[in-house]
Amino acid sequence: MFYRIMESKGKIGIVGSGLIGKSWAMIFASVGYNVVLYDVEEKQVTAAIESIARELKQFESEGTLRGDTLTAEQQAQLISGTSSLQECVQGCVYIQECVPENLELKIKVWKKIDEFVGSETILASSTSCIVPSKISADLNNKARFIVAHPCNPPYHTPMVELVPAPWTDEKTRASTRQIMAEAGQGPVSLSRELPGFVLNRMQYALLNECFRLIKDNVVTPQDLDVVMKDGMGMRYAFMGPMETIHLNAEGTQNYCDRYGETIYDVSSDSGPIPTCWKQESEEDKATVAKIHSMMCTTVPESELYNRRLWRDQRLAALAKLKRSMK
Ligand code: NAI
């Protein structure tokens, strides 16, 4: 047991100390919450705490540390670990569950957490794609259950989707939004649960068109990526598609008056969902294998790890630039 409580604005429990749990711990500590990490693997908690201290120091030296008032060392001191689930979740204002994406496991873990929590604690899951009603249906405290789905890596992509179950109460929806805004994690509130939430629905709509264009030999994957990274993505890094169209004409009404018919006609030409996602036929398998090998000419499989490190460094620099613009 290696549990430590300091002066703070409240206690947040993190259940699951892998990639996402670690990130949430750093995000909440950056604004002064006392964070307690738990994991079924005790050594995972120790490793997470050591790596958090290292990463916070590194972010501080690179100028990408989050939070306005606390140093890396002060933030690290707010984070501690425990090998007891009860000790992690008792007395929390907020709990963020970050165990692997498996419905049975999440139900089991939440049933245990449910036994220990107080009547005010917010219960949040990081799940990427399981709707909250499936995880929380049998919880005593289900009115305070919500999904808080981050983008990866959460520390440098400060957005979170808040997805309520049908029984999530208004207070939980509002308080979660407030905690996230305070932690600098731009909250996006959904009015109801639906498959893919918002981020993945947008991502998949885009990927469907990308796969159609590549499969039909209209464009190579490399050139298609240029359209995003040197074109659309330049403005999407600081402005969403809705504000983009609002500015691209004399407002959204004028944009629809001018371009609506064209958009409808082009969209009608787009075609159905590519079947290659399912890889059921030999043709679909060959399509995926071909796109994969085309991508490997840009990033060979042996280079994926290094390229991810490069990506995270670029995201950190972009996040720093965006903070400086505020
Ligand atoms: P991970 O595999 O890095 O970490 C999961 C941790 O949970 C491990 O340390 C494991 O030991 C621990 N664990 C397993 N069973 C447990 C139990 N019964 N009690 C406590 N801890 C337990 O997984 P990762 O990537 O951090 O994902 C966690 C959640 O976050 C998943 O639901 C995932 O879908 C979601 N998420 C992941 C993103 C990603 O890109 N990795 C992005 C957004 C959300």
Side-chain angles (χ1 to χ4, degrees):
M1 206 268 285
F2 28 101
Y3 183 54
R4 183 170 67 222
I5 280 278
M6 289 178 45
E7 275 298 306
S8 88
K9 57 169 44 169
K11 176 183 168 190
I12 288 186
I14 307 279
V15 179
S17 307
L19 184 73
I20 299 298
K22 252 174 46 180
S23 294
W24 277 122
M26 293 191 277
I27 289 166
F28 292 127
S30 74
V31 291
Y33 281 101
N34 197 287
V35 180
V36 182
L37 280 163
Y38 165 81
D39 200 286
V40 75
E41 299 279 346
E42 195 169 330
K43 62 181 185 312
Q44 183 71 22
V45 180
T46 317
I49 286 182
E50 283 168 8
S51 113
I52 284 171
R54 262 197 321 273
E55 283 185 34
L56 289 174
K57 276 265 173 231
Q58 186 195 331
F59 295 154
E60 189 171 54
S61 68
E62 291 167 354
T64 56
L65 185 74
R66 288 175 61 158
D68 297 327
T69 53
L70 300 173
T71 64
E73 198 176 334
Q74 288 168 327
Q75 293 182 22
Q77 278 175 3
L78 286 167
I79 303 171
S80 56
T82 175
S83 53
S84 153
L85 177 65
Q86 181 170 1
E87 204 163 56
C88 172
V89 300
Q90 258 178 356
C92 286
V93 287
Y94 181 95
I95 295 164
Q96 184 80 39
E97 166 267 305
C98 312
V99 303
E101 192 75 347
N102 173 303
L103 178 60
E104 283 69 40
L105 175 66
K106 291 209 188 262
I107 289 174
K108 195 178 92 184
V109 168
W110 275 110
K111 275 207 172 128
K112 279 198 218 150
I113 299 173
D114 201 30
E115 290 172 24
F116 304 128
V117 292
S119 60
E120 294 290 319
T121 312
I122 294 173
L123 316 177
S125 173
S126 302
T127 179
S128 308
C129 52
I130 306 174
V131 289
S133 61
K134 286 200 177 157
I135 304 174
S136 63
D138 295 328
L139 299 182
N140 295 322
N141 296 289
K142 66 182 183 180
R144 282 177 281 110
F145 188 88
I146 193 161
V147 163
H149 170 230
C151 190
N152 191 38
Y155 196 84
H156 300 305
T157 52
M159 181 239 51
V160 60
E161 295 184 280
L162 305 178
V163 189
W167 41 76
T168 307
D169 64 28
E170 275 309 319
K171 190 172 170 216
T172 299
R173 298 177 194 214
S175 302
T176 310
R177 191 176 171 96
Q178 199 180 345
I179 290 171
M180 289 299 168
E182 183 194 10
Q185 203 69 6
V188 174
S189 294
L190 276 63
S191 63
R192 64 180 170 89
E193 64 179 34
L194 77 176
F197 312 150
V198 170
L199 185 147
N200 278 326
R201 288 176 88 96
M202 288 172 65
Q203 176 162 244
Y204 297 162
L206 184 65
L207 280 174
N208 281 333
E209 189 56 25
C210 295
F211 264 54
R212 282 189 291 259
L213 290 168
I214 295 165
K215 179 175 170 295
D216 294 347
N217 293 318
V218 175
V219 68
T220 62
Q222 283 76 12
D223 280 7
L224 181 141
D225 274 353
V226 173
V227 173
M228 181 57 76
K229 68 185 175 185
D230 294 336
M232 294 160 74
M234 293 291 286
R235 54 191 182 207
Y236 283 176
F238 58 92
M239 173 188 292
M242 297 310 295
E243 189 176 348
T244 296
I245 68 162
H246 199 62
L247 297 192
N248 275 359
E250 300 310 314
T252 303
Q253 177 64 58
N254 181 250
Y255 185 90
C256 293
D257 296 344
R258 279 200 220 171
Y259 307 118
E261 210 153 316
T262 306
I263 292 172
Y264 190 88
D265 288 347
V266 172
S267 305
S268 307
D269 186 58
S270 279
I273 304 166
T275 53
C276 60
W277 294 123
K278 292 184 164 243
Q279 298 193 64
E280 280 169 359
S281 69
E282 289 309 311
E283 191 191 341
D284 286 344
K285 286 181 191 159
T287 301
V288 172
K290 184 176 164 202
I291 297 176
H292 173 76
S293 77
M294 288 168 96
M295 282 311 300
C296 286
T297 62
T298 300
V299 185
E301 284 180 23
S302 58
E303 275 303 305
L304 284 171
Y305 177 79
N306 288 335
R307 189 69 173 170
R308 280 187 205 111
L309 292 180
W310 173 86
R311 173 200 66 188
D312 290 353
Q313 279 170 356
R314 300 327 306 145
L315 280 170
L318 183 59
K320 184 179 170 188
L321 171 68
K322 286 188 62 164
R323 273 199 299 275
S324 76
M325 288 161 61
K326 281 187 179 156

